[in-house]
């Protein structure tokens, strides 16, 4: 569907808000081996949180390093999903029409699921910045949870590894290769990578 006036207004509002506060209430980055946390991953239409939209939010709740619950929802977008995004993620416009929910509803559901947990993710600043900006804009609240970035840890404990992308770590630890970038599958693999990195930190 075409982007309307409301979409343009919201994005200009987001840019004004970000220029004003620069994510003042964002949580702190930790390098720790934690047992209880929530792994988070999102799929988006762009790498730029000023202009991109969130397509999918997924999360896995972990207690004592064991998966106990999961969350995964698609989000309706203002613009049609392009070929590149569909090819990368497997998410189609038809899927959005059938399964996509309103952004505010998904953000609220995700916020409830997350609670006060520490967030774990790979290159998680990307995900947190998108979520922070959208929660501020649509829910008038802030994503202030502290977070652990497996990318940051991998660079410290595996300094001789040439690259530290999620796929590189999946290969390094001999985990199941991913054939598409869906958020819930990435959460599962990120959690497996984090457990391996935690063992190395010890």
């Amino acid at each position: 569907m075409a982007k309307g006036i409301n979409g343009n207004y919201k994005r200009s509002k987001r840019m004004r808000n970000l220029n004003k506060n620069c994510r003042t209430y964002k949580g702190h980055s930790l390098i720790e081996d934690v047992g209880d946390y929530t792994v988070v991953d999102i799929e988006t239409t762009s790498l730029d949180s000023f202009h991109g939209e969130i397509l999918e939010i997924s999360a896995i709740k972990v207690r004592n390093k064991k998966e106990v619950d999961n969350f995964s929802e698609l989000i309706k977008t203002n613009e049609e999903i392009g070929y590149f995004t569909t090819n990368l993620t497997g998410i189609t416009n038809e899927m959005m029409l059938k399964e996509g929910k309103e952004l505010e509803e998904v953000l609220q559901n995700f916020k409830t699921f997350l609670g006060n947990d520490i967030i774990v993710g790979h290159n998680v600043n990307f995900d947190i910045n998108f979520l922070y900006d959208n929660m501020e804009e649509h829910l008038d609240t802030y994503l202030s949870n502290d977070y652990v970035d497996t990318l940051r840890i991998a660079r410290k404990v595996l300094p001789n590894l040439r690259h530290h992308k999620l796929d590189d770590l999946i290969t390094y630890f001999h985990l199941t290769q991913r054939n598409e970038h869906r958020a819930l599958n990435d959460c599962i693999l990120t959690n497996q990578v984090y457990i391996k990195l935690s063992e190395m930190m010890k």
Side-chain angles (χ1 to χ4, degrees):
M1 68 189 80
K3 179 174 65 178
I5 295 175
N6 288 339
N8 286 325
Y9 169 74
K10 287 182 178 179
R11 288 176 183 177
S12 63
K13 176 185 174 186
R14 184 190 308 173
M15 293 177 72
R16 290 197 302 270
N17 288 342
L18 287 178
N19 288 334
K20 182 172 66 175
N21 62 39
C22 298
R23 305 186 183 104
T24 304
Y25 303 103
K26 184 177 174 179
H28 297 96
S29 177
L30 311 173
I31 299 183
E32 295 182 12
D33 173 19
V34 293
D36 297 344
Y37 51 89
T38 295
V39 185
V40 174
D41 189 75
I42 66 173
E43 301 299 337
T44 66
T45 61
S46 169
L47 298 178
D48 182 357
S49 65
F50 281 160
H51 303 101
E53 296 182 78
I54 302 176
L55 293 172
E56 183 177 42
I57 302 176
S58 294
I60 294 175
K61 193 172 291 293
V62 177
R63 293 294 178 265
N64 195 26
K65 290 293 198 306
K66 302 292 184 182
E67 297 177 18
V68 298
D69 201 1
N70 66 70
F71 173 97
S72 188
E73 294 187 356
L74 292 171
I75 299 167
K76 294 178 182 176
T77 57
N78 290 307
E79 298 178 347
E80 288 191 353
I81 302 170
Y83 172 78
F84 176 82
T85 301
T86 294
N87 190 50
L88 179 68
T89 65
I91 299 173
T92 66
N93 290 293
E94 290 75 18
M95 290 168 62
M96 283 299 180
L97 288 173
K98 293 179 180 179
E99 305 172 40
K101 298 180 180 179
E102 295 298 329
L103 176 60
E104 290 84 353
E105 177 187 357
V106 176
L107 287 173
Q108 186 59 60
N109 291 342
F110 169 73
K111 183 175 182 292
T112 300
F113 180 87
L114 176 63
N116 296 318
D117 269 14
I118 292 173
I119 294 172
V120 170
H122 194 77
N123 192 23
V124 75
N125 265 297
F126 172 84
D127 308 83
I128 288 175
N129 289 345
F130 256 97
L131 292 166
Y132 186 107
D133 298 346
N134 279 274
M135 283 186 176
E136 180 183 12
E137 178 182 339
H138 297 280
L139 301 184
D140 196 26
T141 189
Y142 301 103
L143 180 63
S144 300
N145 303 57
D146 291 339
Y147 55 95
V148 174
D149 190 345
T150 52
L151 174 61
R152 186 180 177 199
I153 294 175
R155 285 171 173 165
K156 287 186 174 293
V157 301
L158 295 169
N160 295 324
L161 195 63
R162 185 174 181 182
H163 300 293
H164 298 86
K165 295 178 180 179
L166 183 58
D167 285 324
D168 298 311
L169 297 174
I170 289 168
T171 299
Y172 180 83
F173 290 121
H174 305 291
L175 302 174
T176 302
Q177 298 292 321
R178 57 180 180 171
N179 53 15
E180 62 181 24
H181 291 247
R182 288 299 299 271
L184 187 59
N185 186 53
D186 284 0
C187 285
I188 294 170
L189 289 167
T190 297
N191 188 45
Q192 293 173 3
V193 165
Y194 178 56
I195 291 171
K196 295 288 188 182
L197 291 172
S198 296
E199 292 170 355
M200 296 183 71
M201 282 195 291
K202 292 177 182 178

